[in-house]
Amino acid sequence: MSILFSEKTKTFHLYNQKISYIMTVLPNGHMGQLYFGKRIHHKEDFSCLLERQRRPMTACVFDDDSSFSLEHTRQEYGVYGTTDFRHPAVEILQEDGSRLSDFVYAGHEVTAGKPKLPGLPATYTEAQEEAETLVVRLKDAQTQMALEMFYTIFAEGGILTRSVRFTNEGKKNVQLTRAMSLCLDLPDCGYEWMQFSGAWARERHLKVRKLEQGIQAVDSIRGNSSHDHNPFIVLKRPTADEEQGEVMGFGLIYSGNFLAQAQVDTYDMTRVLLGIHPFHFSWKLEPGESFQTPEAVVVYTREGLGDMSRTFHRLYQRRLARGYWRDRERPILNNNWEATYFDFTEERLVEIAEKAKDCGVELFVLDDGWFGARRNDHAGLGDWYANRELLPHGIKGLAEKIEALGMKFGLWFEPEMVNGDSDLYRSHPDWILETPGRHASLGRHQYVLDFSRPEVVDHIHEQMSKILSEAKISYVKWDMNRSITECYSRALPADRQGEVFHRYILGVYDLYERLTSEFPHVLFESCASGGGRFDPGLLYYAPQGWASDDSDAVERLKIQHGTSFCYPVSSIGSHVSVVPNHQVFRETPLHTRANVAYFGTFGYELDLNKLTKEEQEEVKEQIRFMKQYRKLLQFGSFYRLSSPFEGDGNVTAWMAVSEDKREAVLGWYRILSHANPPLARLRLSGLDERLCYRITENGRERTGVYYGDELMNAGLITTEGVSGETAPGEKGGCDFDSRIFVLKAERSCLEGEE
């Protein structure tokens, strides 16, 4: 890992064993992009990579040189209006109405490690040798605006992070109206664009299309990263697949409005922009004030989509998530929500918890309905104190009863919201986001609290901290059940209303930071009607998130497959729920519901008392299995083997492999059963080709041993028995079927061979 600067050619070369990132100071003082890709040899002069060519209808930016126009030059942080007509990375409105900027190189510094971003989540290092950071300083002489571009290259993996800090060093106010975290100009457009989109209950479905001239983008202007799109995109070469080929992944560590965009010009050059969405955004910078953008993460590989994903997994799991629970196996939980909804008493909760404990559950979670006047979703939000009619001994008393059973206790909050029917709203009706004189929209019968105001955050913090201090609470489920409308804060003047969306997210981060610091042993799980804010920003505070409110095993195949492209298995909240499923009303076998949920944090979303004795015994076996292989499933290397988005999507398969490659768990899922099906084999990944493995399938050992290279090349036979022709004692297949294979390495297959 190194960052080199050539004083003679004004060229920077950032590199490690995987990648090179090369940029230079252009003739007009702007920063130009020369190369991003696989590691190449260093040399003092890379000027051959700067393309300059005369073109018709080109405006000359420098010394009337028609070969040098920003329109046809790859840049590090493009500005519109001085011969570049592409969408810019930055725009600054000045007091005279001008929006032009001219950011010229003014210096740089290189430091070991990685600095924190004030008030924002970001990746980090624990030792200085893990990364190096380059800060390139640019200055606009007219406005005296300073721009610092941060580049961190990690020692391991093809990882580069970027962010930008603006400082008003002039004497006049300015309005920052666009401030992207990343601008990357690529020399061609021969990529396929991959996005992860959907809606409530079908989040992060994979969409793939060829890049074409024009603009391709995903975004959110909902105030949260959203169910609709995720702040993560991939550009891959058309020939790239899971195991090989050039791939770039782009992630934004942010939880609010975002834009991820690729613009291909008519010369087939591609500009990638990633950052806070400029729509409805502005930030007033008075003299001496600064603004820091969120961090963007870029992963480059020539080893396929799988390698890209595992690189993101390792980074987010080890150097984005923090604290006590970062590296710890997640407790198996039972949440009461789909078991009771609002209809519960303390006695009923203890009854559910007793059965959960009997089955091996480690954590009991009380969901919505325990506070204030909350008997339905019309009242109570904002009043974070126990309803003594339901819980006569309060949260403290209930937690003690759960702890006495030998389990930990968890609690649901929705701290960012308030009902009109609540003490908080009656005391502070001005604390919600609403535009004066206009109707305030409701979502799930609730308003959004104005978290851009410190006093609002302080009030909610005081209530939550009191509960967490008084009761033995080991887990918090932090929900957020609506997007932001009428985005206006009564606490800010007119020329700062464009700051509300971002200030709101900063308020959320502030509350998370305070609570996670005060209660470091509490496991926080983020939730937003399921997957409405499943993003890297929250992983910094909550190492796991409820991936979707849809807990149907079949729907979860697509949700968890799509999620896995960026997010580690340890971050994916996944539970076994009752059938018929409460979202799609499908009946799936109990074993399939568990086999899908194993590849996540794992838990139950039902009343185990209502299962048959046979089903309860099956649950006990599921929990025993999860406890035995939990570390491997949650922290092993994850490989996608068969996609629900390809072909007919009938078969999905994935696997987790231990670091030493001596152990693996494979999940195989088939949606619809077919009569007399064809032969089938599944090629595995991630194994040691020299090792031999014994395989158990659904707990029964297969005959023989198998070399790793055999399983990865010849494949594992997964042909199903012919319908109607099963052998005596053999169980036939069914719709929504699944199998779990466990692979364990032997010392050798043949005597004397290693």
Side-chain angles (χ1 to χ4, degrees):
M1 172 191 65
S2 189
I3 298 175
L4 301 178
F5 176 67
S6 172
E7 182 66 42
K8 181 178 179 180
T9 61
K10 293 291 189 290
T11 299
F12 296 88
H13 185 185
L14 296 75
Y15 66 88
N16 60 21
Q17 293 300 314
K18 293 280 190 178
I19 59 172
S20 284
Y21 192 97
I22 305 171
M23 56 186 171
T24 191
V25 180
L26 296 171
N28 66 335
H30 292 196
M31 293 301 301
Q33 220 298 310
L34 297 181
Y35 175 79
F36 177 46
K38 186 176 180 179
R39 161 78 183 273
I40 61 176
H41 286 96
H42 178 69
K43 61 182 184 179
E44 289 298 309
D45 187 0
F46 285 102
S47 59
C48 60
L49 298 176
L50 178 61
E51 300 176 54
R52 294 176 61 168
Q53 191 173 109
R54 290 176 173 82
R55 295 187 184 275
M57 299 299 296
T58 295
C60 310
V61 70
F62 185 71
D63 288 347
D64 200 23
D65 180 356
S66 59
S67 71
F68 182 41
S69 170
L70 295 181
E71 181 179 4
H72 308 298
T73 301
R74 287 183 287 137
Q75 298 167 68
E76 283 300 297
Y77 209 66
V79 179
Y80 172 82
T82 55
T83 78
D84 190 352
F85 301 98
R86 293 166 292 181
H87 285 210
V90 57
E91 187 176 68
I92 300 173
L93 176 61
Q94 296 140 53
E95 286 187 348
D96 63 1
S98 170
R99 295 175 184 267
L100 292 180
S101 295
D102 186 28
F103 285 107
V104 173
Y105 172 74
H108 72 275
E109 64 176 347
V110 177
T111 58
K114 187 173 186 294
K116 289 185 176 182
L117 300 187
L120 286 167
T123 58
Y124 60 90
T125 57
E126 291 188 340
Q128 289 190 336
E129 61 268 21
E130 291 179 5
E132 276 190 315
T133 298
L134 166 68
V135 182
V136 179
R137 179 177 168 84
L138 309 175
K139 190 75 175 283
D140 180 84
Q142 179 79 6
T143 60
Q144 289 296 296
M145 282 290 295
L147 186 160
E148 294 171 293
M149 296 192 295
F150 291 80
Y151 300 78
T152 295
I153 185 165
F154 282 78
E156 295 184 5
I159 305 166
L160 185 77
T161 70
R162 290 183 58 178
S163 69
V164 179
R165 181 180 299 152
F166 296 88
T167 301
N168 185 355
E169 296 180 353
K171 297 180 179 180
K172 296 181 179 180
N173 298 337
V174 298
Q175 286 280 355
L176 190 60
T177 60
R178 176 184 283 252
M180 305 307 287
S181 298
L182 172 143
C183 175
L184 178 61
D185 287 349
L186 302 170
D188 68 274
C189 66
Y191 299 95
E192 289 181 334
W193 161 283
M194 302 175 69
Q195 67 188 58
F196 302 86
S197 302
W200 177 83
R202 53 177 175 85
E203 295 89 346
R204 292 175 298 286
H205 282 206
L206 172 61
K207 310 290 181 182
V208 184
R209 59 180 59 83
K210 184 179 181 295
L211 272 190
E212 298 283 2
Q213 292 179 3
I215 290 176
Q216 173 68 60
V218 292
D219 66 1
S220 174
I221 54 173
R222 305 175 67 96
N224 55 305
S225 51
S226 84
H227 301 272
D228 298 355
H229 304 294
N230 199 260
F232 171 68
I233 59 168
V234 177
L235 295 184
K236 77 175 189 71
R237 297 299 187 184
T239 56
D241 57 26
E242 284 289 333
E243 297 182 344
Q244 61 78 39
E246 187 178 31
V247 177
M248 283 181 283
F250 300 84
L252 184 67
I253 302 178
Y254 190 59
S255 307
N257 292 348
F258 76 92
L259 173 66
Q261 176 177 296
Q263 180 178 9
V264 181
D265 68 15
T266 52
Y267 295 94
D268 286 344
M269 189 160 58
T270 301
R271 170 169 289 180
V272 179
L273 293 173
L274 184 62
I276 295 174
H277 205 301
F279 178 79
H280 213 294
F281 168 81
S282 65
W283 196 273
K284 184 178 180 180
L285 286 176
E286 296 181 353
E289 292 184 336
S290 297
F291 179 83
Q292 172 67 54
T293 72
E295 182 170 86
V297 178
V298 189
V299 168
Y300 176 91
T301 181
R302 286 199 175 180
E303 298 173 40
L305 291 161
D307 183 64
M308 177 210 68
S309 294
R310 288 184 290 278
T311 301
F312 270 109
H313 295 175
R314 288 190 296 271
L315 178 67
Y316 285 179
Q317 195 171 64
R318 302 171 187 174
R319 292 298 180 265
L320 180 60
R322 303 176 298 163
Y324 179 82
W325 285 102
R326 185 189 71 179
D327 304 321
R328 283 178 165 79
E329 300 162 27
R330 308 293 192 256
I332 296 169
L333 65 81
N334 189 182
N335 185 298
N336 78 297
W337 179 242
E338 289 192 10
T340 67
Y341 293 104
F342 291 109
D343 185 17
F344 63 82
T345 61
E346 184 178 280
E347 291 75 18
R348 176 83 189 283
L349 295 173
V350 172
E351 179 187 12
I352 296 172
E354 287 173 338
K355 177 55 68 176
K357 171 59 180 176
D358 178 60
C359 290
V361 170
E362 300 161 317
L363 168 68
F364 180 77
V365 179
L366 172 57
D367 210 281
D368 193 357
W370 57 268
F371 50 90
R374 189 75 162 178
R375 300 311 303 131
N376 52 50
D377 59 9
H378 291 257
L381 283 176
D383 300 339
W384 299 109
Y385 51 85
N387 184 321
R388 291 288 178 152
E389 293 182 11
L390 301 173
L391 305 173
H393 303 97
I395 293 298
K396 183 176 184 292
L398 176 61
E400 288 173 350
K401 290 185 177 182
I402 301 301
E403 287 267 342
L405 295 174
M407 286 194 296
K408 299 298 183 181
F409 177 69
L411 195 60
W412 179 95
F413 290 90
E414 191 172 4
E416 301 161 59
M417 303 293 158
V418 65
N419 288 121
D421 184 3
S422 67
D423 293 341
L424 177 59
Y425 183 80
R426 284 184 283 271
S427 299
H428 299 283
D430 60 320
W431 277 11
I432 67 170
L433 291 173
E434 64 172 340
T435 305
R438 298 192 181 276
H439 174 73
S441 303
L442 286 168
R444 204 187 181 218
H445 316 294
Q446 61 198 44
Y447 301 108
V448 183
L449 285 170
D450 185 357
F451 263 45
S452 74
R453 299 175 65 166
E455 65 269 28
V456 177
V457 176
D458 289 345
H459 180 81
I460 298 300
H461 168 260
E462 182 181 352
Q463 292 188 80
M464 293 181 70
S465 181
K466 185 174 188 294
I467 293 170
L468 295 174
S469 298
E470 293 176 349
K472 287 188 175 182
I473 296 172
S474 301
Y475 163 101
V476 167
K477 181 179 178 182
W478 182 317
D479 212 340
M480 193 278 293
N481 278 305
R482 62 157 293 182
S483 298
I484 292 175
T485 56
E486 294 85 41
C487 186
Y488 185 98
S489 174
R490 295 178 182 271
L492 292 174
D495 61 353
R496 288 193 179 270
Q497 289 301 320
E499 303 175 11
V500 179
F501 272 121
H502 184 59
R503 287 187 182 274
Y504 177 92
I505 292 298
L506 294 180
V508 172
Y509 291 157
D510 177 47
L511 183 56
Y512 259 117
E513 184 67 35
R514 288 199 239 175
L515 292 173
T516 54
S517 298
E518 292 169 21
F519 306 99
H521 294 98
V522 172
L523 172 59
F524 282 78
E525 177 170 289
S526 62
C527 179
S529 288
R533 204 161 63 186
F534 196 101
D535 57 62
L538 290 189
L539 282 183
Y540 186 73
Y541 307 99
Q544 63 189 53
W546 185 225
S548 176
D549 276 347
D550 192 340
S551 54
D552 172 69
V554 174
E555 294 298 316
R556 272 303 187 106
L557 293 175
K558 288 186 174 180
I559 293 168
Q560 291 178 209
H561 182 97
T563 302
S564 75
F565 276 86
C566 181
Y567 302 98
V569 171
S570 60
S571 72
I572 300 173
S574 54
H575 297 167
V576 176
S577 60
V578 72
V579 292
N581 175 264
H582 288 190
Q583 290 77 48
V584 298
F585 309 106
R586 181 184 283 122
E587 301 241 11
T588 54
L590 181 56
H591 71 271
T592 292
R593 284 176 269 160
N595 290 348
V596 174
Y598 286 146
F599 290 85
T601 58
F602 197 72
Y604 292 86
E605 198 90 11
L606 45 75
D607 182 352
L608 293 167
N609 289 292
K610 295 184 177 180
L611 301 185
T612 65
K613 293 294 183 183
E614 292 77 10
E615 288 173 327
Q616 290 177 10
E617 289 303 313
E618 187 175 351
V619 166
K620 292 178 182 179
E621 181 55 38
Q622 291 170 356
I623 292 174
R624 283 193 290 269
F625 177 87
M626 186 62 188
K627 289 179 179 178
Q628 181 177 356
Y629 295 104
R630 171 165 45 185
K631 183 176 181 180
L632 170 58
L633 288 162
Q634 294 177 350
F635 295 96
S637 296
F638 185 80
Y639 293 84
R640 293 178 295 270
L641 305 177
S642 181
S643 170
F645 298 104
E646 295 178 358
D648 63 5
N650 201 47
V651 172
T652 299
W654 49 49
M655 64 189 292
V657 182
S658 65
E659 186 174 353
D660 63 7
K661 300 190 177 185
R662 301 192 65 86
E663 198 169 39
V665 177
L666 162 65
W668 177 94
Y669 313 92
R670 196 255 300 115
I671 298 175
L672 296 180
S673 180
H674 295 305
N676 197 12
L679 303 179
R681 291 191 183 198
L682 183 66
R683 291 181 178 178
L684 309 191
S685 292
L687 303 175
D688 188 325
E689 62 182 21
R690 301 164 299 177
L691 291 178
C692 287
Y693 296 87
R694 290 199 178 273
I695 301 176
T696 59
E697 177 183 347
N698 291 342
R700 298 175 62 180
E701 186 170 331
R702 280 198 171 194
T703 303
V705 289
Y706 306 80
Y707 271 113
D709 60 358
E710 173 189 353
L711 293 168
M712 293 189 291
N713 292 283
L716 176 70
I717 293 175
T718 57
T719 307
E720 298 183 80
V722 178
S723 300
E725 295 289 335
T726 55
E730 182 179 307
K731 183 180 179 181
C734 61
D735 286 346
F736 320 127
D737 205 359
S738 63
R739 305 181 223 172
I740 291 290
F741 300 84
V742 176
L743 290 73
K744 293 190 176 182
E746 300 267 306
R747 284 189 57 82
S748 64
C749 282
L750 301 174
E751 187 176 351
E753 184 176 346
E754 289 292 335

